[in-house]
Amino acid sequence: MSNALVMAGHVRTFKSIAEELTHFIRFNELDVYLYIWDEGNQDEIDYVVKTLKPVKWKAEKNELYLPEFLEAEQRIATKNPKELITPDKNFATLSMHFARRKAFELIEKEYDNVVFSRFDTHMTAFRVRAMVSEFPDAVLTPTNEQYGMVSDIFAIVPWKYADSYFFYPRAEDILSRRFNKKMKEWLSVKFFWENGQRDIRLHDENRYCPHMLCMRNFFETNTPYNVVDLPVFLRR
């Protein structure tokens, strides 16, 4: 079984996870691919590359693409205006998914699975092979940082679902539309708690939640996923 690790975005607190991450990579014999936002922190970027020894990597300045993200944010607000109850920023969400897609596109061969992780995701080493065997034919996402929806800090993605998982090309369109009837029916099963219907309405009318965006992408692309208690977490 061949597996790859894709990492993308800001370096953040990478040094605090470097040792456990390199152990995870060796433990699972992962090929590594990186897309890094260059914030003028060349020493940190050099440290990441030297530590992880990627098959392929790229670093670019976010400012090169920021106008694209801001223009998309304005189009979304025009097509799907909402009275926000939290300061959701679509340009930041789009930037995140753009970087993840760019990292995925560095891969030039087919793997059995692609593991995604952030530069600040802590983890205890576990066997990717074992998780895939126990939960086959589905994207695996962790319980940590899911907020009743889909966590975006880590995933194990079967190759055939990788294009669906790295979904930047579809993100603006999803954010530009309200929930349809089928989506609301599906969410009614997922949001089974007492105030579930209220929460569905709030997400539809008053939020551009990045976790709901990931969840909705799975629904609209018919991508199976399982939420698993994986030993990964953010340390803020």
Side-chain angles (χ1 to χ4, degrees):
M1 178 180 288
S2 62
N3 299 310
L5 172 66
V6 164
M7 302 186 73
H10 299 281
V11 171
R12 300 184 188 273
T13 57
F14 173 78
K15 287 187 177 180
S16 70
I17 71 162
E19 184 176 350
E20 60 202 60
L21 179 59
T22 53
H23 177 56
F24 179 76
I25 291 168
R26 290 194 301 269
F27 196 57
N28 289 285
E29 300 179 309
L30 302 174
D31 289 345
V32 178
Y33 298 85
L34 309 173
Y35 183 86
I36 304 169
W37 285 130
D38 179 353
E39 301 174 277
N41 54 337
Q42 192 60 49
D43 288 346
E44 289 184 304
I45 293 172
D46 290 343
Y47 178 76
V48 171
V49 174
K50 181 180 178 180
T51 300
L52 299 184
K53 300 176 176 59
V55 175
K56 198 170 182 180
W57 69 280
K58 188 173 186 178
E60 293 187 292
K61 292 188 179 298
N62 184 273
E63 291 84 353
L64 294 173
Y65 303 98
L66 183 58
E68 175 182 333
F69 306 143
L70 291 172
E71 290 168 9
E73 182 178 61
Q74 185 58 52
R75 289 192 297 269
I76 292 165
T78 300
K79 294 178 181 178
N80 187 17
K82 300 188 180 188
E83 294 184 9
L84 294 179
I85 57 174
T86 60
D88 297 324
K89 299 188 182 301
N90 283 324
F91 80 89
T93 298
L94 292 168
S95 171
M96 177 181 72
H97 285 288
F98 176 91
R100 295 177 183 200
R101 181 72 188 193
K102 293 285 277 189
F104 170 63
E105 290 176 349
L106 293 173
I107 299 176
E108 297 178 333
K109 57 179 281 189
E110 183 172 325
Y111 290 88
D112 292 299
N113 302 281
V114 177
V115 178
F116 169 78
S117 189
R118 290 173 29 159
F119 289 109
D120 58 353
T121 298
H122 289 263
M123 63 186 69
T124 301
F126 63 90
R127 291 286 186 193
V128 170
R129 183 191 298 268
M131 287 296 168
V132 171
S133 297
E134 185 174 356
F135 302 97
D137 197 36
V139 176
L140 305 184
T141 63
T143 52
N144 281 328
E145 305 290 327
Q146 67 160 320
Y147 305 107
M149 291 168 281
V150 171
S151 174
D152 61 4
I153 68 169
F154 186 92
I156 301 173
V157 187
W159 182 260
K160 66 179 177 179
Y161 300 126
D163 182 68
S164 297
Y165 182 81
F166 297 99
F167 67 98
Y168 174 75
R170 297 183 296 278
E172 180 182 344
D173 175 62
I174 296 172
L175 289 165
S176 297
R177 292 181 280 107
R178 292 292 176 92
F179 299 165
N180 61 24
K181 182 180 178 181
K182 288 185 177 180
M183 176 71 181
K184 291 178 180 178
E185 291 173 349
W186 183 73
L187 284 175
S188 294
V189 176
K190 298 290 185 179
F191 284 31
F192 54 83
W193 47 86
E194 182 180 356
N195 294 316
Q197 290 303 312
R198 179 207 62 185
D199 292 344
I200 292 170
R201 185 175 65 256
L202 289 175
H203 278 286
D204 194 24
E205 300 176 1
N206 304 111
R207 288 214 60 189
Y208 300 107
C209 175
H211 301 279
M212 176 57 73
L213 173 63
C214 295
M215 190 176 192
R216 189 173 177 185
N217 171 63
F218 284 155
F219 171 75
E220 294 192 0
T221 57
N222 198 30
T223 301
Y225 73 96
N226 282 317
V227 178
V228 181
D229 188 20
L230 299 171
V232 300
F233 63 96
L234 297 183
R235 181 178 290 149
R236 293 186 172 91

